[in-house]
Amino acid sequence: MEDPTAVNYNSPSEIRRTVEALGLRLHKRWGQNFLINRGARRHIVSLLEPTARDTVWEIGPGLGTLTVLLLPEVRNLLAFEIDRGLIRYLTETFSEWDRLQLIAGDVLKTWKEHYSPQEPPDRIVGNLPYGSASALIGAFAENRVLAGRMVFTVQRELAQRMTAEPGNKNYSSFSVLCQLVYRISDRMQLKPGSFYPAPEVHSSVVVLEPAAGVERVSQWPSFLKFLRACFRSRRKTMRNNLLAAGFADALEADRLERVFAELGLDPAVRAERLSPRQLLGFSRLLQSQSPP
Ligand code: SAM
């Protein structure tokens, strides 16, 4: 079932006509750039590897270009869409599909009430709106949202930030967080012409799978605080960033020195030189040495 709507999803003029006929306007601030490249849509679904047993989340279904491919493949589909006009359109277009649940509103606010760590969705997919993509991926990582597999289309620069290695200019606390929670691979590049309207940026399709053991990392909230503190100022050493953030007051600064020494690290190191695992190890050791 490629096209129940009689909208040709590969044709900019048909998309434009459909949007106009619905009395809708395309909103730049909601990143409404529709994927008009059929091969890319198919490839995204194949990267997701959905099965008939799966509960799948789709972020930003838009006019349903991916939804239409996903629905026949899965058990349940929850689609999060902010644009009420598109929600109306999707409700009508896919009215036959009981397995589709549309969640209206800002996904940054709505996802939590549908998420259970005991029963996470099996798959999450979305051509993410450029404006909310890093906030959403950051929120999923901070909350350790562990779907079996996630496939996201994001701005190329965001994919670079997610996969950057220590020492790279794109490496930040966001990279560390993403890489500790997920194994990430950049699987496909999309030019602006794959979308209508064409955005000003290039895109990447990234696949995220849960990193081994991440759900067992204890004292996760303290680690998140530690991580933010380490990268607070890029010009400062990690030691000074931690002191400035109150991780050890002047009297107990030697606690920090002991951790650096025990891990064989130069106390003048900047956080952006350390790998995600080194930072996690540092945080653990620091916590284990905290005064009672
Ligand atoms: N999936 C469609 C496609 O591939 O053609 C549309 C993708 S478009 C890049 C992003 C979609 O996300 C739009 O439908 C937009 O309305 C929706 N959106 C933008 N911000 C959102 C938010 N904060 N919460 C939920 N949906 C959002």
Side-chain angles (χ1 to χ4, degrees):
M1 190 189 77
E2 166 75 350
D3 196 358
T5 59
V7 179
N8 176 356
Y9 287 131
N10 306 311
S11 158
S13 56
E14 277 209 30
I15 291 182
R16 204 170 39 238
R17 266 202 304 279
T18 307
V19 168
E20 277 167 17
L22 292 165
L24 299 177
R25 270 190 324 115
L26 293 186
H27 295 274
K28 210 170 172 182
R29 78 193 143 106
W30 286 339
Q32 291 180 333
N33 306 93
F34 302 109
L35 187 53
I36 55 172
N37 176 336
R38 186 200 305 265
R41 291 198 299 272
R42 294 226 168 107
H43 194 50
I44 287 170
V45 174
S46 75
L47 287 172
L48 191 67
E49 297 175 3
T51 79
R53 294 184 307 277
D54 288 346
T55 291
V56 177
W57 284 11
E58 186 188 357
I59 315 297
L63 287 166
T65 45
L66 286 175
T67 322
V68 73
L69 297 178
L70 291 166
L71 274 171
E73 307 293 329
V74 306
R75 185 163 62 92
N76 289 310
L77 183 65
L78 261 72
F80 297 78
E81 175 56 60
I82 200 166
D83 187 324
R84 296 205 175 251
L86 289 176
I87 287 275
R88 272 198 307 279
Y89 170 76
L90 293 163
T91 307
E92 228 169 82
T93 304
F94 296 105
S95 58
E96 310 269 289
W97 291 91
D98 292 343
R99 64 183 74 166
L100 174 66
Q101 190 185 347
L102 292 162
I103 315 291
D106 180 351
V107 64
L108 291 168
K109 297 189 185 133
T110 55
W111 73 269
K112 266 194 184 169
E113 69 201 67
H114 298 276
Y115 183 73
S116 146
Q118 289 73 38
E119 231 179 302
D122 299 291
R123 310 267 181 251
I124 305 182
V125 65
N127 291 330
L128 297 184
Y130 296 120
S132 321
S134 68
L136 187 67
I137 293 172
F140 282 176
E142 281 196 6
N143 289 280
R144 291 186 284 185
V145 167
L146 298 177
R149 210 171 165 82
M150 307 183 186
V151 180
F152 294 135
T153 308
V154 297
Q155 187 171 338
R156 185 169 61 189
E157 288 72 15
L158 182 59
Q160 287 166 344
R161 283 171 53 208
M162 292 167 77
T163 54
E165 294 186 355
N168 183 289
K169 68 175 178 0
N170 294 314
Y171 189 66
S172 65
S173 57
F174 180 72
S175 325
V176 174
L177 182 61
C178 290
Q179 291 172 33
L180 277 176
V181 181
Y182 305 113
R183 284 186 290 129
I184 307 166
S185 52
D186 188 336
R187 302 295 281 274
M188 181 167 54
Q189 311 295 313
L190 291 173
K191 296 199 174 120
S194 286
F195 300 89
Y196 174 78
E200 279 146 27
V201 296
H202 287 249
S203 301
S204 289
V205 178
V206 288
V207 173
L208 280 62
E209 292 164 286
V214 60
E215 69 279 15
R216 293 194 301 278
V217 173
S218 60
Q219 297 182 307
W220 184 250
S222 315
F223 170 70
L224 294 179
K225 256 171 69 185
F226 163 85
L227 185 59
R228 271 192 289 273
C230 286
F231 284 86
R232 209 158 105 136
S233 161
R234 275 186 100 84
R235 284 175 300 109
K236 283 192 182 153
T237 63
M238 177 167 148
R239 175 185 179 280
N240 287 348
N241 271 333
L242 287 170
L243 287 175
F247 265 76
D249 65 26
L251 285 175
E252 35 164 29
D254 62 320
R255 248 184 348 110
L256 274 180
E257 317 300 341
R258 275 204 304 278
V259 178
F260 280 107
E262 228 172 284
L263 294 173
L265 293 173
D266 179 353
V269 74
R270 290 179 208 286
E272 64 251 32
R273 294 272 152 205
L274 301 190
S275 71
R277 287 275 145 200
Q278 279 177 308
L279 286 160
L280 186 62
F282 195 107
S283 162
R284 276 194 183 132
L285 204 52
L286 187 62
Q287 278 168 33
S288 72
Q289 300 206 353
S290 291

